[in-house]
Amino acid sequence: NTHSAQFEDDDSIGTWFKGDSGAWRVEDGRLYISGSTEFLMLVGPSTQFAGDIDVSVTTEWIEGIDNNSYGIRIRQSAAGSYGFGIAASGSYILSEGEEGASAPVQLRDWRISNLINAEGSNTLRIVAQGSQLSLYMNGTLLDQLSDNSHTSGWISLYVSGLQEVAFDNLTVIEIGGEPLLK
């Protein structure tokens, strides 16, 4: 099954979770998320995914502090989640958040990559197959690692810190399994 969001208007994400530590709006076919100095600003569909998934989204950094992360969170549950983020300065991170932890654990410390269009448009993709996590940037494999802490849950788009990012063409492909909740 393939799920996609094109962000036509506010109603296109009417049932989505929208955090309260920032702001969001749908404009010109894109979802704009603004972060804050508080927690991550999360916006995501209300569907939970079990099994293996392939998630991609196109981003464009609009303005703000260029060393804060933004991107995709997957397999979110009460136990935690994985977060694949980039910064407009041209680096990326993979983190794993655990329930009750004050800060996520960095599975991949910040790394600079010339595959990232600094302060520009990028397509992030994370493929989670079993314990294997594969990170892609603009169509090219960026990194891979193995972690089996989280196996199912929600996905969301996120922005941390004082910056604004536009998201477009969110696609979720279920490689195996069915959604737990529609």
Side-chain angles (χ1 to χ4, degrees), residues 4-63:
S4 61
Q6 300 303 317
F7 308 117
E8 295 86 24
D9 54 34
D10 287 1
D11 291 339
S12 66
I13 62 168
T15 61
W16 285 29
F17 168 81
K18 297 155 192 105
D20 57 7
S21 61
W24 66 273
R25 72 183 189 284
V26 175
E27 186 177 293
D28 300 325
R30 300 195 299 178
L31 171 63
Y32 290 80
I33 302 176
S34 298
S36 71
T37 56
E38 298 172 19
F39 191 69
L40 299 175
M41 177 58 182
L42 300 167
V43 178
S46 56
T47 303
Q48 288 190 46
F49 296 93
D52 300 336
I53 57 173
D54 180 340
V55 182
S56 63
V57 69
T58 301
T59 65
E60 182 181 0
W61 186 78
I62 305 298
E63 65 180 358

Side-chain angles (χ1 to χ4, degrees), residues 20-144:
D20 57 7
S21 61
W24 66 273
R25 72 183 189 284
V26 175
E27 186 177 293
D28 300 325
R30 300 195 299 178
L31 171 63
Y32 290 80
I33 302 176
S34 298
S36 71
T37 56
E38 298 172 19
F39 191 69
L40 299 175
M41 177 58 182
L42 300 167
V43 178
S46 56
T47 303
Q48 288 190 46
F49 296 93
D52 300 336
I53 57 173
D54 180 340
V55 182
S56 63
V57 69
T58 301
T59 65
E60 182 181 0
W61 186 78
I62 305 298
E63 65 180 358
I65 299 172
D66 70 359
N67 65 349
N68 290 314
S69 69
Y70 60 89
I72 305 167
R73 298 193 72 74
I74 65 166
R75 294 183 170 175
Q76 289 177 229
S77 70
S81 65
Y82 296 112
F84 171 35
I86 63 173
S89 58
S91 55
Y92 73 96
I93 188 171
L94 180 67
S95 60
E96 187 252 327
E98 294 181 7
E99 181 182 18
S102 59
V105 173
Q106 294 180 3
L107 296 175
R108 249 337 155 237
D109 290 336
W110 282 104
R111 293 183 179 183
I112 294 173
S113 173
N114 61 4
L115 296 174
I116 299 170
N117 297 315
E119 295 189 5
S121 181
N122 291 283
T123 299
L124 287 73
R125 178 179 171 212
I126 183 167
V127 179
Q129 290 184 284
S131 63
Q132 185 73 28
L133 302 171
S134 301
L135 311 177
Y136 294 85
M137 183 59 53
N138 298 316
T140 302
L141 181 64
L142 179 67
D143 206 340
Q144 288 184 306

